[in-house]
Amino acid sequence: RKEVEQDPGPFNVPEGATVAFNCTYSNSASQSFFWYRQDCRKEPKLLMSVYSSGNEDGRFTAQLNRASQYISLLIRDSKLSDSATYLCVVIGPRGSTLGRLYFGRGTQLTVWP
Amino acid sequence: DGGITQSPKYLFRKEGQNVTLSCEQNLNHDAMYWYRQDPGQGLRLIYYSQIVNDFQKGDIAEGYSVSREKKESFPLTVTSAQKNPTAFYLCASSTRLENYEQYFGPGTRLTVT
């Protein structure tokens, strides 16, 4: 079983739409969670961390459900510039894998005018 | 400006040749990582180093080698033993603090013919 599984996508939405991405992780002892954004042929860039209580950054909201081992990212009022691949990332638990990031395959989002 | 640099951006080599990819960071991060990304696939960990003069194999270390003689530098050598070396190679770094969010360099696209 993969460490991190993401919605396969792709998602094609109109400007202004609300879109949600989901991600599950396999190791219940995982410590930290992130969403990264990757533009075509570029490096991944940190979008936001995911906290247990949920967190919001402008149009973006991230949620963590430890009981279900589930992470989500909600984008409201989509912009053309949101078109990218969104990567769900989980940090391994304490121990030999401390510090290792496990990446999902990514979900591609295209926002059309 | 603090950041991670990778050079060159594009690299072309003939099959059977070893090639070394450069990665330098001035963020004073202890940990550094090398990933490989193939089209339509997620990032896969090649090697990582939590501290100078120490490094660990990731999921796909065969055919690769690294060194960590300085905190700022973590070069990756793609040897002739790597069967499918053509890929996008990404270097990342992070602090050793608890959160471990990683920051990526711009990547090197290696093409071996």
Side-chain angles (χ1 to χ4, degrees):
Chain A
R1 183 184 173 188
K2 286 186 182 295
E3 294 280 347
V4 181
E5 300 267 15
Q6 277 189 254
D7 274 350
F11 287 71
N12 297 297
V13 303
E15 264 188 301
T18 295
V19 61
F21 305 139
N22 303 318
C23 170
T24 57
Y25 59 96
S26 60
N27 193 324
S28 60
S30 296
Q31 293 289 312
S32 301
F33 311 89
F34 304 96
W35 283 101
Y36 278 71
R37 169 193 170 128
Q38 187 174 24
D39 293 294
C40 188
R41 302 179 71 82
K42 299 284 189 181
E43 74 273 25
K45 292 187 178 178
L46 180 65
L47 179 66
M48 58 196 304
S49 302
V50 185
Y51 302 122
S52 296
S53 55
N55 49 299
E56 189 173 308
D57 183 3
R59 299 181 293 108
F60 298 83
T61 300
Q63 296 279 353
L64 168 64
N65 184 323
R66 284 192 183 271
S68 301
Q69 294 176 211
Y70 172 97
I71 305 160
S72 66
L73 177 69
L74 182 77
I75 305 175
R76 292 182 298 279
D77 189 24
S78 299
K79 310 291 184 192
L80 297 177
S81 57
D82 293 335
S83 297
T85 297
Y86 291 84
L87 307 174
C88 175
V89 182
V90 174
I91 290 184
R94 294 193 177 278
S96 61
T97 59
L98 181 62
R100 279 196 54 172
L101 264 60
Y102 295 93
F103 287 81
R105 284 196 165 193
T107 301
Q108 187 176 349
L109 171 67
T110 300
V111 181
W112 46 273
Chain B
D1 285 337
I4 304 173
T5 56
Q6 290 185 245
S7 60
K9 190 172 182 179
Y10 298 96
L11 189 56
F12 297 87
R13 279 293 183 270
K14 292 290 187 184
E15 198 173 316
Q17 294 179 337
N18 290 357
V19 61
T20 297
L21 310 184
S22 166
C23 177
E24 304 277 333
Q25 55 98 1
N26 60 6
L27 300 168
N28 200 33
H29 285 170
D30 285 307
M32 297 186 74
Y33 309 79
W34 274 104
Y35 296 90
R36 168 183 174 140
Q37 188 174 37
D38 294 281
Q41 295 196 32
L43 276 70
R44 292 185 290 170
L45 183 65
I46 304 173
Y47 269 98
Y48 64 109
S49 167
Q50 298 283 3
I51 198 167
V52 173
N53 292 323
D54 185 54
F55 48 82
Q56 286 78 42
K57 293 182 179 180
D59 301 318
I60 55 165
E62 186 175 349
Y64 299 98
S65 66
V66 292
S67 63
R68 187 85 188 276
E69 296 176 2
K70 297 187 301 180
K71 187 175 182 177
E72 301 79 19
S73 179
F74 192 40
L76 173 74
T77 296
V78 185
T79 74
S80 56
Q82 168 49 232
K83 293 178 182 177
N84 297 295
T86 295
F88 186 37
Y89 289 88
L90 288 157
C91 178
S93 71
S94 69
T95 66
R96 290 195 76 192
L97 298 177
E98 192 167 328
N99 225 11
Y100 282 82
E101 53 196 48
Q102 293 184 7
Y103 297 90
F104 286 83
T108 292
R109 290 196 179 275
L110 174 64
T111 302
V112 177
T113 58

